[in-house]
Amino acid sequence: MYAVYHGPDGLRSIATRAHRMATVLAAGLCEGGVGVVHGELFDTVLAEVPGTAAEVVAKARELGVNLRLVDENHVGIACDETTTREHLSQVWQAFGVTVSDVDGLDADTADGIPPALRRTSEFLTHPVFHQHRSETALLRYLRALSDKDVALDRSMIPLGSCTMKLNATTEMEAVTWPEFSGLHPFAPAGDAEGLLSIVTDLEQWLAEITGYDAVSLQPNAGSQGEFAGLLAIRAYHRSQGHGERDVCLIPASAHGTNAASAVMAGMRVVVVKCDDQGNIDMDHLRATVAEHSDDLAAIMITYPSTHGVYEDTVGEVCGLVHDAGGQVYVDGANLNALIGLAQYGKFGSDVSHLNLHKTFCIPHGGGGPGVGPIGVRSHLAPFLPNHPLQPAAGPETGVGPISAAPWGSASILPISWAYVRMMGADGLRRATLTAVAAANYVARRLDEYFPVLYVGEGGFVAHECILDLRGITKATGVTVDDVAKRLADYGLHAPTMSFPVAGTLMVEPTESEDLAELDRFCDAMIAIRREIDRVGSGEWPVDDNPLRNAPHTAACLTEQEWKHPYTRHEAVFPAGVNAPKIWPPVRRIDGAKGDRNLVCSCPPMEAYQS
Ligand SMILES: *Cc1c(COP(=O)(O)O)cnc(C)c1O
């Protein structure tokens, strides 16, 4: 949006201005007798002040400016589009320099970018970077984009495994405050006390919630938490003289990130089978553990499982792996089914990541930023991530930084802080129970129309349920894609498709949906089942029916001729004309074809030849 609003000309003028500030700053320092290390620069000046760098930085701080203490002889100063001449004067003052004629200095100072490095080629040539230049135009562009989106403000988002719960306004509000949003990741700890107290509170609360002894908030995603957790396990094995332990067992049902993280952490992945109930095949696990008793590093399991069930063998799995010298990683992405009911750190796990952008209300529809903290038991605590530029961010013996910033995506932590603070222990527990009840309600209501694939003891699911469409597809030709797309005509967002089992839909309602919305979803699914039956009975051909042709756009509705065996009304108002309505902007696209045929709008490589 920054690029859309400013376009290439705006970005160039912003960069030019930042550069001008830096060159004038450097010229003023030189005039005052301070050494500047680089004659050619863009936005950053490195000043040389033998032996007095700390003094300069302290003086600047008194004046309200944080400069970078590079070492005892050097100070780094970066300018950006918010830098003003008043800032330059403050910095000069910190160095003991007085510039009397700033205008003259500005006029006399040459550019610091050597001609050979200047960009002459065009960039951001796409029309979108040239069309929206006023606030009204940008506002309308944003609105037009959001109209194409089906977000939580229009429908429940039943994406199983994603935990698309409400991001409450009160939780979100504080992240817009400059005290949080304007804080530099390397600001001195003394200038970040508010944020650091949120960090400390959250670390303690998450430890209490999970039953672990220590927590690191540094990882920026669940997958990064997995990586950090596995690094801790590897470091622990090495510290015990068992560097050879490098095998990571992963059940076939696991989220794809588990195996990817294990490989990144330098481990060898061995897959453990699942039985036809979707549970870990205990005989296969026993055999695999025995086979790898010398090189077993860890097992990564998910609890409740990605199949949406509380597997009752979890304690036994942990015991088996521990007896063979391995560590247990429990993927905590499904913590929304567990808070207040059980604690990973107490039933046999050594380390877990949590997804604050799932369970703890940070919005994550657009792909981030996220927070994937890890909790560990005390023997792994010395191997949590740390940071060379911020000793307080982790243990001295830690595995090093796994994110650029000491506390990761710290500026969004107020969201999760507010959630826990407002819910309290009792509220969090009730949220879990409500989420589990909602999933079981959907499962019970829909089972006779779309069989629920996996259930645990007593016929219950955890916080999500998998609807099995494979039999329906075989009998009628109607696929999961057809059902997912048809839900848009009913004014609803689709569930997760074909994960973790191909040909199924996984529904996770979360605690945020009331009974009316759960019923709207179930009613739509039941109505869709009746439509499927009309295809199954031969009334509608398999390649021309409201399901296969879904979603229906306003454009397709108003075509001159309507040649389908169902009415226009059936196409776009299946839930009635007064029901909440979504008008999808496009009809179905060929997803597989799109994935396999990259459309590149960049110039060909030959264009880069001199
Ligand atoms: C979401 C998820 C992850 C990965 O988390 P990211 O934050 O997307 O990296 C890992 N495991 C499970 C079970 C998940 O649902």
Side-chain angles (χ1 to χ4, degrees), residues 169-228:
T169 305
T170 316
E171 289 154 13
M172 297 297 300
E173 198 176 358
V175 297
T176 65
W177 298 347
E179 289 85 346
F180 294 126
S181 65
L183 206 56
H184 193 282
F186 295 113
D191 292 350
E193 273 173 31
L195 190 58
L196 288 178
S197 84
I198 281 181
V199 165
T200 311
D201 283 348
L202 258 183
E203 284 176 354
Q204 281 167 7
W205 293 342
L206 296 179
E208 194 182 332
I209 284 168
T210 56
Y212 284 116
D213 302 311
V215 167
S216 167
L217 292 168
Q218 198 183 93
N220 287 315
S223 43
Q224 220 184 13
E226 293 168 21
F227 177 60

Side-chain angles (χ1 to χ4, degrees), residues 511-545:
E511 73 278 13
S512 304
E513 301 305 334
D514 61 16
L515 188 58
E517 183 70 356
L518 295 180
D519 277 334
R520 189 167 81 90
F521 175 76
C522 292
D523 291 344
M525 288 297 286
I526 292 166
I528 285 174
R529 181 61 228 244
R530 299 218 171 91
E531 293 177 344
I532 295 174
D533 290 341
R534 291 169 79 175
V535 178
S537 71
E539 185 187 339
W540 285 332
V542 71
D543 57 358
D544 188 7
N545 60 65

Side-chain angles (χ1 to χ4, degrees), residues 151-297:
L152 210 72
D153 58 358
R154 289 206 280 183
S155 159
M156 71 187 279
I157 303 186
L159 287 173
S161 194
C162 295
T163 313
M164 301 298 287
K165 62 164 71 175
L166 174 72
N167 318 120
T169 305
T170 316
E171 289 154 13
M172 297 297 300
E173 198 176 358
V175 297
T176 65
W177 298 347
E179 289 85 346
F180 294 126
S181 65
L183 206 56
H184 193 282
F186 295 113
D191 292 350
E193 273 173 31
L195 190 58
L196 288 178
S197 84
I198 281 181
V199 165
T200 311
D201 283 348
L202 258 183
E203 284 176 354
Q204 281 167 7
W205 293 342
L206 296 179
E208 194 182 332
I209 284 168
T210 56
Y212 284 116
D213 302 311
V215 167
S216 167
L217 292 168
Q218 198 183 93
N220 287 315
S223 43
Q224 220 184 13
E226 293 168 21
F227 177 60
L230 294 173
L231 287 184
I233 289 177
R234 289 225 69 183
Y236 169 76
H237 283 311
R238 284 201 193 99
S239 77
Q240 302 293 304
H242 287 300
E244 74 287 356
R245 290 190 173 270
D246 68 346
V247 165
C248 185
L249 305 182
I250 301 182
S253 60
H255 194 269
T257 49
N258 288 185
S261 302
V263 171
M264 274 184 67
M267 293 183 171
R268 287 181 292 147
V269 173
V270 174
V271 176
V272 181
K273 288 184 198 155
C274 290
D275 62 20
D276 48 10
Q277 293 306 302
N279 299 322
I280 293 174
D281 180 335
M282 292 303 288
D283 288 336
H284 188 242
L285 177 66
R286 269 182 218 103
T288 315
V289 167
E291 193 184 322
H292 289 285
S293 58
D294 293 333
D295 54 11
L296 181 62

Side-chain angles (χ1 to χ4, degrees), residues 161-162 220-224 226 254-255 257-258 302 306 331 333-334 353 355 357-358 370-372 499:
S161 194
C162 295
N220 287 315
S223 43
Q224 220 184 13
E226 293 168 21
H255 194 269
T257 49
N258 288 185
T302 306
T306 51
D331 179 327
N334 292 340
H353 77 263
N355 299 61
H357 47 290
K358 292 179 181 169
V371 185
F499 174 84

Side-chain angles (χ1 to χ4, degrees), residues 29 34 49 52-63 65 67 75 87-98:
L29 288 174
V34 175
V49 277
T52 60
E55 227 172 274
V56 171
V57 169
K59 184 83 200 296
R61 198 164 164 216
E62 263 169 45
L63 296 165
V65 181
L67 300 183
V75 177
H87 291 132
L88 301 191
S89 296
Q90 286 167 323
V91 173
W92 284 323
Q93 199 184 330
F95 280 89
V97 170
T98 326

